[in-house]
Amino acid sequence: MARRIFRLVAGFALLLVLAVGVLHLWNGRGAGAQALGAAAPGDLRLASFNVHYIILDKPEGAWSIADWDRRRPAMTQAVSTLGADIIAFQEMESFRRGDDGSVNLARDALLQAMPDYRAAATGDWRSFPTTQPIFYRHARLRLLDQGWFFFSETPDVIYSRTFNGSYPAFASWAKFHDLRSGKDLRVVNVHFDYGSGENRLRSARLVRDRVNEWTSEGEHVVLAGDLNAMAGSETVAILKEAGLSLSPVTGSTYHLNRGLNLFGAIDHVMLDCGTAMQGRPVAIRQRFDGEWPSDHYPILAQITSGAGSCGS
């Protein structure tokens, strides 16, 4: 009898271990490259990650220099394990009092740690906002062009304030040539206002109009970023008017820097009709070295530019 009970307990323990392991993978806790399965030769892996800003004038506490020193190894591991060809970053900013934007600790640390990548959608901060760079694997992609526009009444004026006069917010973009497939792809990286619904809607309309201009000329466009809006929102509905489709991440992408998954995804990847996605994007819900790299999870999608259907 004792032996039978031992076997039952051992069997239950094994099932529990397996269940935890399945949940571990389901929550995106494996390496990003494994979370999506095998990639076809023409596929691109595209990630989006809000990495939270760093306050240079704050020596200690949340989002301070000391906090960045703590988060940096976890951030490097998180981004390295994505296995992405393109990574759109939001809030990649190191700011202090005043306008000087020459320091970007997160961007520089990640580029140093990952020599396979270069940064697009960035430049001299006086003529190009640097807080939403797009990293790309330079052995696979060639940068053709880059630019930005602000969510403002004057979108082509750098650092112009948003529609209601609050802090500047913008879209960065980069156009790439895929050296493997021979196709071009424009990636638009956005971060919409978290506090003002009206700002989000007006920003989405501006992005919609810009995307329509590009796709009307036959370009393939992918939008990625922190929309601060869920899949069924009016913000997303406006972007769909540009012919962009959305397959949302299952579960949360913002976790309050505590691993709390309280509501649906607000970080998204949206595709034009000529671009296909293999399944849904996944969120990589994992601590690295026991630390959360950011208050958002990185999300990862597998896309094929030029493989979608643009039927009427």
Side-chain angles (χ1 to χ4, degrees), residues 78-296:
V79 176
S80 297
T81 61
L82 289 173
D85 300 295
I86 301 171
I87 312 170
F89 290 104
Q90 304 87 44
E91 288 193 36
M92 187 169 269
E93 180 176 11
S94 305
F95 68 87
R96 58 168 66 90
R97 294 181 183 87
D99 297 329
D100 186 353
S102 59
V103 177
N104 195 318
L105 297 178
R107 179 197 62 198
D108 295 345
L110 289 175
L111 285 175
Q112 182 177 11
M114 302 188 305
D116 290 344
Y117 292 89
R118 292 177 181 160
T122 190
D124 187 316
W125 66 272
R126 289 162 291 197
S127 59
F128 204 115
T130 63
T131 64
Q132 285 172 206
I134 300 171
F135 283 20
Y136 65 100
R137 202 182 294 275
H138 58 82
R140 173 73 186 269
L141 298 156
R142 184 171 77 246
L143 178 64
L144 300 177
D145 199 5
Q146 62 180 15
W148 50 265
F149 57 91
F150 276 75
F151 305 142
S152 166
E153 299 285 2
T154 54
D156 299 316
V157 176
I158 193 168
Y159 306 125
S160 54
R161 288 184 172 268
T162 49
F163 299 102
N164 70 354
S166 63
Y167 293 109
F170 70 103
S172 62
W173 59 262
K175 186 174 180 180
F176 300 104
H177 178 71
D178 187 342
L179 298 171
R180 185 177 299 172
S181 70
K183 299 181 184 300
D184 296 344
L185 178 68
R186 189 186 296 260
V187 178
V188 183
N189 180 15
V190 303
H191 186 192
F192 289 164
D193 193 329
Y194 77 93
S196 169
E198 181 62 23
N199 269 348
R200 283 195 297 275
L201 297 180
R202 297 184 70 176
S203 300
R205 294 186 188 107
L206 178 59
V207 172
R208 173 200 63 193
D209 294 345
R210 295 286 176 116
V211 171
N212 273 329
E213 291 176 10
W214 292 319
T215 56
S216 67
E217 296 175 355
E219 290 195 36
H220 295 302
V221 177
V222 172
L223 180 145
D226 178 2
L227 273 58
N228 274 304
M230 290 188 279
S233 65
E234 187 177 354
T235 300
V236 170
I238 291 169
L239 294 172
K240 288 181 176 180
E241 293 172 3
L244 298 175
S245 63
L246 172 64
S247 295
V249 174
T250 299
S252 296
T253 60
Y254 173 68
H255 61 90
L256 288 80
N257 204 35
R258 290 176 172 81
L260 298 176
N261 305 316
L262 302 180
F263 47 84
I266 60 173
D267 301 87
H268 300 291
V269 175
M270 299 186 72
L271 311 176
D272 77 302
C273 62
T275 305
M277 182 183 293
Q278 311 304 316
R280 288 176 180 263
V282 296
I284 310 302
R285 301 187 180 97
Q286 181 179 352
R287 291 177 186 259
F288 295 85
D289 282 342
E291 301 287 353
W292 295 114
S294 176
D295 54 354
H296 288 246

